[in-house]
Amino acid sequence: MSQTTERILVAESVSRKFLVRQGLFAKKKTLTAVDAASFFLKKGECLGLVGESGCGKSTLGRLSCGLLQPTQGSILFCGTPLPPAGAGSWARGRIQMIFQDPFSSLNPRMTVQDAVAEPLTARGIPRAERIQAAEDMLARVGLKGTGKRYPHEFSGGQRQRIAIARSVMTHPDIIICDEAVSALDASVQAQILNLLKDMQEEFSPAYLFISHDLNIVGFMCQRILVMYLGRLLEEGPTEELFRHPAHPYTEALLAARNGLDASHPPLTGEIPSPLDPPAGCAFHPRCPYRKPLCEETMPPWTELSPGWRVRCHVAQQRVSCSQRSG
Ligand code: SF4
């Protein structure tokens, strides 16, 4: 894989707020879906973004491709502020997105060859060439000779192959995969994940891989961001996070995969409302390690080693203990 250290996407203290009304006559309240998130994506890497459903992962994914604009902060793509996604955007075709449900993003009245060829339209390529390129790409994803069929004639896994074929047509720099395999059976999931890896080998896009499933993220990604209630809490290399999770929330997510792991405390309680987030550390109502300080003061970022950082008042001691005990 042609992975370099070049940062092609840099998010700096990005927040996204929405005004929401919880009842017909209720006053509007501010919901902070993403709160001061800073991260970067390197050329050709696969960066995982994990957290429970509703934590702001998808909003951060949409911010990262220009489908949403930040309320505060900035997102730089190749060093330049990312413009809103759309027909006139200079970044069009350079950042693509694959969604959980490809059926909703494919036009039911368009043949799949037209759907796959569509991202090339803005480049002024003649239709016959676009269609040939789409047929070639469909063959690459295992759907040779199916171009004249319509989306409803395919299974969920096949539709996700079509979405992948469409996403790589413009040889994008970045593909944002938002729960791209969550709706598929385990055996089909494995095929699609391997196809995404093959496409990365061939076309070298960086992936921002959004998922609630740590097994999948562990298989796909070199680095991981952990998100909770709109905030990033831990960022680091996959191997380090899996061996010595520094944040209690990361530890709880790891414990929950493949059933409960008795060596880690399980995750209990409900995720608080983002309309009324807890003071201090947002995770404190569910944290088995909380101290009085955690209820008042939001922990700052602590760097544990180059590229590995965490927001927790006790993480450093916990990681040191965990590393000493092997
Ligand atoms: Fe738990 Fe405190 Fe760390 Fe938050 S800062 S995760 S409450 S120990």
Side-chain angles (χ1 to χ4, degrees), residues 247-248 281 283-284 287 289-291 294 299 311-314:
H247 199 283
C281 170
F283 189 56
H284 84 253
C287 181
Y289 307 103
R290 73 174 167 268
K291 299 169 158 197
C294 307
R311 285 180 100 166
C312 169
H313 292 303
V314 303

Side-chain angles (χ1 to χ4, degrees), residues 89-102:
S89 165
W90 57 262
R92 194 172 189 218
R94 297 185 64 186
I95 306 180
Q96 297 284 8
M97 196 146 180
I98 299 174
F99 298 94
Q100 177 175 349
D101 175 14

Side-chain angles (χ1 to χ4, degrees), residues 1 46 97-98 141 160-161 163-165 167-168 175-181 184 188-209 216 219-220:
M1 187 188 307
C46 185
M97 196 146 180
I98 299 174
V141 301
Q160 206 55 296
R161 286 175 184 273
I164 292 168
S167 75
V168 293
I175 300 179
I176 296 168
C177 303
D178 188 1
E179 298 283 4
V181 296
L184 305 173
V188 183
Q189 269 187 356
Q191 292 167 14
I192 297 298
L193 292 175
N194 284 319
L195 177 61
L196 284 168
K197 284 199 165 198
D198 291 347
M199 292 291 119
Q200 199 176 37
E201 288 285 338
E202 198 165 345
F203 301 105
S204 308
Y207 288 140
L208 176 59
F209 199 89
I216 289 174
F219 174 69
M220 290 295 291

